[in-house]
Amino acid sequence: MGQPLAIAVAQPRCTGHDVTANAVAHAEAVRAADARVVVFPEMSLTGYELDAALISTGDERLAPIVAACAETGTLALVGAPVAGPHIGILAVDGGGARVAYGKVHLHGSEAVRFVPGEPVAIEVDGWRLGLAVCRDTGVPEHAARTAALGIDGYVAGVVHADHEAEVHGERARRVAADHGVWVATAAFAGPAGGGFDRTSGRSGIWSADGQVLAEAGPAPDEIARAVFAK
């Protein structure tokens, strides 16, 4: 395990299908977060719109996020529909974007269009971070398979309705208890598309012993930040 890792969870405002506007909101969040890694919600770039056009790694609309990451030295983990097709996570830094992950555990309506991915861990400054998207976090097998890759942290982008505000905290504490890893969950706030007119917000970060270290409120554009350390 390397040096301490500053990590943030962001819940930017979102306009369904408007990738250009959403990318600007992401860039603003990256600059405001002051973190090495910034995690965004499920399909944060398009909204939870299951018919949204796939986002390629070379999409010029990603340019504001790439620029913000270049200025701040940030790795942004952005939610988007990607080639596969997957409900994916794009890893964006100052050099561009790459597809880092595809959601493994799809809901029925998602499986009509998308295909499942496989558990993934990425390395950032000596920290191995397992990736997850929404329903993945509610399936203990997913955390177990991801933990088997040798992870220090488990980071997820989710969308939950406003009455489900407690769900990602409960799941984060379970993952921490089962696997002894840090957990960071970015949740949508405000309208998110796909019938999610009111979402939970409350993005949070938990220590490896299950203690909440930072938590955002229910409003769009809030950020929570903490430092993973030995």
Side-chain angles (χ1 to χ4, degrees):
M1 197 180 302
Q3 62 190 352
L5 184 72
I7 191 162
V9 285
Q11 47 193 49
R13 62 194 177 280
C14 180
T15 303
H17 296 283
D18 193 340
V19 174
T20 299
N22 295 334
V24 170
H26 281 61
E28 291 172 358
V30 166
R31 290 189 175 94
D34 186 29
R36 179 68 176 91
V37 177
V38 181
V39 186
F40 290 91
E42 179 178 26
M43 295 184 77
S44 56
L45 202 58
T46 59
Y48 185 76
E49 306 285 357
L50 298 183
D51 61 344
L54 302 183
I55 306 298
S56 71
T57 56
D59 193 312
E60 63 183 13
R61 294 172 295 180
L62 296 174
I65 309 174
V66 173
C69 290
E71 291 171 20
T72 57
T74 299
L75 174 68
L77 299 175
V78 176
V82 299
H86 297 298
I87 294 177
I89 294 176
L90 288 171
V92 183
D93 61 17
R98 65 180 178 87
V99 175
Y101 179 71
K103 184 176 184 177
V104 175
H105 296 281
L106 301 168
H107 288 288
S109 57
E110 297 170 348
V112 172
R113 179 185 185 194
F114 297 99
V115 297
E118 291 291 332
V120 166
I122 62 173
E123 188 160 320
V124 183
D125 298 347
W127 289 77
R128 286 181 60 79
L129 305 177
L131 304 183
V133 174
C134 210
R135 189 181 180 211
D136 292 337
T137 66
V139 180
E141 178 194 4
H142 182 271
R145 291 178 66 196
T146 306
L149 301 175
I151 62 173
D152 307 300
Y154 184 82
V155 300
V158 308
V159 54
H160 288 141
D162 57 346
H163 66 275
E164 299 175 307
E166 301 301 322
V167 170
H168 39 277
E170 293 168 359
R171 293 178 177 180
R173 288 188 292 272
R174 187 203 74 228
V175 171
D178 288 351
H179 303 291
V181 297
W182 303 72
V183 182
T185 304
F188 261 118
F196 285 96
D197 296 328
R198 299 178 62 174
T199 55
S200 64
R202 302 277 298 279
S203 300
I205 301 170
W206 292 261
S207 67
D209 60 3
Q211 299 301 308
V212 63
L213 300 176
E215 187 175 51
D221 293 324
E222 293 193 26
I223 296 168
R225 181 185 183 279
V227 177
F228 287 7
K230 292 182 182 181

